[in-house]
Amino acid sequence: ADPQGRLLAVLMCKNVVDRRWQPRNGQGMADEEKRHLKECILRLVALAVSGALPYLVELTLVLRRICRFDFPKQWDELAHFVLGELRRLRESGSFDEGGLAVVVVLHHVLKEQSSKKLLAARRDFQQIGQVMTEPLGAVWCLFADRLRSLLGGGGGGGGDGSTSPAAPAGAPSAGAVDDRTWRLSRYLDGCFLLLLTQGFTRLHETPNGPQLLVLVKEKVALLLGLLRAHPQLVVQCPFFAKNVKSVLKWWAMLLHAHPLAFARADLASVLATSAEVLQSFSAVPGQAETH
């Protein structure tokens, strides 16, 4: 299909959702129409994730508009679909195009939920955090190990801190990671850190909250090490630069939202890593002005 035609179709669908899903004049879509539309969108998204349909970006734009009104309370099928795809990723360990696609879908869903300001929506997000953190965290850790392995950092530490995060920085294989991998890393980090930041009221009271922050700190250190040792990656791999910016933004927001969790996650090391952030960006030309 023509790109302009696809864009027009997306805009029309978004306008229908915006105007008729919850209209103020009472002349909106019937519940049966909404149910049918959600089934169709989810079926098309599933086809796009499997690679059978090339319109994932356009479909996620419409999906986000529906999520604004119906997710999570009135769209269990979407949650079940995402959880099933995360389970598939965890079991297969294959971060193929389908894996990237489902992470992009989840990122859009979580970003839309995070934009809701009502207190009820925030409580809904906390319920999402309870359901999504374990399966998403497992996939995130699996990919982090895979990334360290690609970078030449061993990856055998299993995320327990036994592998020095500085090791990949000097690895000659750093350039072997292409921009598609950094795109997946950027979206996975965005999903996971967004969930940790806004999906919990008291992260320090969750069983693995501080341990998860330690893993995030290791990812921050890994990215900073690469930035210092291979600053050319910012130009060669645009999604590496986006990944660094996104992780540092959510690192600061995590520290603001859950300071007590950081207190139980080796605070001295956290502060040292934060100091390295400032040192890194003061040392990389052109970065200090943009951050």
Side-chain angles (χ1 to χ4, degrees):
D2 179 71
Q4 292 185 346
R6 294 204 308 267
L7 179 60
L8 179 60
V10 168
L11 291 175
M12 292 178 64
C13 289
K14 289 177 62 179
N15 287 338
V16 168
V17 174
D18 286 336
R19 296 173 183 175
R20 300 195 58 200
W21 207 270
Q22 288 185 355
R24 296 182 178 180
N25 60 12
Q27 299 177 356
M29 298 175 65
D31 290 342
E32 184 63 24
E33 289 180 295
K34 294 179 182 179
R35 184 189 63 78
H36 179 68
L37 180 57
K38 287 189 290 188
E39 288 177 354
C40 289
I41 290 294
L42 193 54
R43 184 164 59 249
L44 293 173
V45 167
L47 288 173
V49 167
S50 69
L53 198 64
Y55 308 132
L56 180 68
V57 174
E58 293 85 351
L59 289 169
T60 53
L61 294 177
V62 179
L63 181 137
R64 280 189 68 155
R65 302 312 298 167
I66 299 176
C67 284
R68 185 153 198 87
F69 300 109
D70 276 20
F71 188 79
K73 290 184 176 179
Q74 296 174 286
W75 204 359
D76 289 341
E77 294 82 3
L78 175 58
H80 293 156
F81 167 74
V82 172
L83 289 171
E85 289 296 316
L86 290 176
R87 182 169 56 252
R88 178 187 67 81
L89 278 177
R90 183 177 182 178
E91 293 173 352
S92 68
S94 175
F95 294 98
D96 53 10
E97 290 298 326
L100 173 60
V102 73
V103 172
V104 170
V105 170
L106 178 58
H107 187 265
H108 279 281
V109 171
L110 295 179
K111 288 288 286 186
E112 187 62 40
Q113 188 67 27
S114 70
S115 70
K116 302 176 184 179
K117 303 303 180 183
L118 295 178
L119 184 60
R122 295 182 181 180
R123 288 196 293 264
D124 289 341
F125 207 148
Q126 291 158 17
Q127 294 179 355
I128 296 172
Q130 295 175 7
V131 174
M132 291 281 187
T133 300
E134 192 278 331
L136 178 60
V139 172
W140 183 84
C141 290
L142 181 64
F143 177 78
D145 284 345
R146 185 74 53 82
L147 182 61
R148 281 193 293 268
S149 179
L150 290 172
L151 292 170
D160 60 0
S162 58
T163 300
S164 171
S173 59
V177 180
D178 59 15
D179 204 41
R180 179 199 168 279
T181 303
W182 287 120
R183 184 186 181 199
L184 178 56
S185 178
R186 182 256 182 272
Y187 280 114
L188 258 179
D189 288 344
C191 290
F192 190 51
L193 296 180
L194 175 57
L195 207 58
L196 291 180
T197 302
Q198 299 188 13
F200 298 89
T201 54
R202 298 178 180 87
L203 186 60
H204 63 281
E205 293 182 357
T206 62
N208 298 319
Q211 289 79 6
L212 293 175
L213 291 183
V214 171
L215 296 178
V216 173
K217 176 178 67 67
E218 291 178 359
K219 181 62 180 286
V220 173
L222 183 146
L223 291 175
L224 289 177
L226 281 172
L227 182 64
R228 286 195 296 263
H230 305 282
Q232 71 275 11
L233 285 177
V234 173
V235 177
Q236 295 173 352
C237 299
F239 269 99
F240 170 75
K242 293 179 180 180
N243 196 184
V244 172
K245 293 177 182 179
S246 175
V247 165
L248 293 181
K249 177 189 75 172
W250 287 109
W251 175 254
M253 295 180 71
L254 258 175
L255 184 58
H256 177 74
H258 302 290
L260 294 179
F262 278 89
R264 295 177 53 193
D266 191 0
L267 183 58
S269 179
V270 168
L271 294 176
T273 300
S274 299
E276 290 178 7
V277 171
L278 300 178
Q279 293 171 357
S280 296
F281 280 95
S282 63
V284 178
Q287 294 298 313
E289 292 83 355
T290 59
H291 294 276

